């Protein structure tokens, strides 16, 4: 009878691939969905810009946008810096995935969605110099006439945007991944060793 404590530890390929299949499934599905929908939008939505295609009138539409920044167009025009940041985040995600134990399936899945979305937007930023966005919530945000102060910045008050920024499937995948990670972090208690 073999002692489980003396069993050999899994090698690199097992720890990175075979034991972490939820990560790779989520990454590949996210990346294919993102690049396929961007290719569709490039062929269908971009040629009619700035016109939009109504999907659900007064709620959802397809509208073309080429984002030279990150979310909400922050760091506009700083493609090299954003590419470096994205690569560092993706590398960090891969390290977390590798170090996670195989039983943390939801954590690994969340990392996969976040990585797939990040790679999708990085692909656009490196090859095109901008990120292709096309999903548009076609209604005014509540409170868009209000202004808010940013505590970390001096200067005039900032207005709440009238519309939610145009986004893409990669952004949705990143949100799903981050949401899963937040739920797991805040609502999952670590098991305490027995006898303590």
């Amino acid at each position: 009878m073999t002692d489980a404590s003396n069993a050999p530890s899994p090698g690199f390929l097992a720890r990175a691939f075979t034991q972490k299949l939820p990560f790779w499934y989520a990454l590949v599905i996210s990346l294919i969905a993102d690049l396929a929908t961007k290719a569709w939008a490039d062929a269908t939505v971009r040629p009619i810009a700035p016109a939009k295609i109504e999907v659900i009138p007064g709620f959802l539409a397809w509208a073309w946008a080429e984002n030279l920044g990150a979310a909400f167009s922050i760091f506009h025009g700083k493609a090299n810096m954003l590419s470096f940041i994205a690569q560092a985040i993706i590398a960090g995600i891969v390290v977390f995935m590798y170090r996670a134990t195989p039983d943390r399936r939801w954590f690994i899945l969340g990392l996969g969605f976040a990585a797939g979305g990040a790679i999708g937007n990085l692909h656009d930023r490196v090859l095109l110099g901008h990120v292709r966005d096309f999903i548009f919530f076609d209604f005014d945000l509540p409170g868009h006439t209000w202004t808010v102060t940013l505590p970390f910045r001096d200067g005039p008050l900032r207005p709440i945007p009238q519309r939610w920024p145009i986004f893409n499937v990669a952004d949705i995948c990143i949100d799903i991944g981050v949401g899963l990670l937040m739920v797991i972090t805040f609502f999952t208690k670590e098991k305490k060793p027995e006898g303590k």
Side-chain angles (χ1 to χ4, degrees):
M1 191 170 178
T2 308
D3 184 359
S5 62
N6 293 330
S9 60
F12 172 79
L13 289 178
R15 288 180 63 88
F17 295 99
T18 43
Q19 291 186 344
K20 309 294 170 60
L21 288 179
F23 175 86
W24 298 108
Y25 289 149
L27 187 152
V28 170
I29 290 168
S30 301
L31 191 55
I32 290 172
D34 177 55
L35 296 181
T37 53
K38 284 174 177 173
W40 170 84
D42 210 331
T44 307
V45 183
R46 183 174 62 85
I48 66 166
K52 63 189 179 189
I53 300 172
E54 287 194 349
V55 181
I56 303 173
F59 180 74
L60 180 66
W62 307 139
W64 185 255
E66 296 177 356
N67 188 355
L68 297 173
F72 294 91
S73 294
I74 60 173
F75 301 121
H76 184 81
K78 304 205 182 272
N80 290 337
M81 182 182 74
L82 289 170
S83 295
F84 174 78
I85 291 171
Q87 290 173 50
I89 290 171
I90 293 165
I93 289 172
V94 171
V95 169
F96 274 106
M97 177 275 294
Y98 181 77
R99 295 181 64 184
T101 55
D103 61 317
R104 301 187 68 192
R105 290 185 184 90
W106 289 104
F107 179 79
I108 292 167
L109 190 71
L111 291 175
F113 278 115
I119 292 170
N121 281 341
L122 178 63
H123 165 274
D124 277 22
R125 194 166 279 119
V126 170
L127 295 184
L128 305 174
H130 61 263
V131 173
R132 296 170 289 178
D133 291 331
F134 63 94
I135 305 171
F136 178 51
F137 285 135
D138 196 10
F139 56 86
D140 291 346
L141 292 175
H144 67 269
T145 56
W146 305 343
T147 55
V148 293
T149 305
L150 298 177
F152 53 84
R153 179 175 176 180
D154 295 329
L157 296 174
R158 286 301 190 88
I160 294 174
Q162 184 171 352
R163 299 289 178 93
W164 189 263
I166 301 173
F167 58 101
N168 58 37
V169 172
D171 299 327
I172 295 171
C173 293
I174 291 169
D175 289 341
I176 291 170
V178 171
L180 275 172
L181 296 174
M182 288 177 67
V183 168
I184 290 163
T185 301
F186 291 115
F187 296 102
T188 303
K189 294 180 180 178
E190 289 187 14
K191 293 180 180 178
K192 293 182 179 179
E194 293 182 12
K196 288 190 177 182

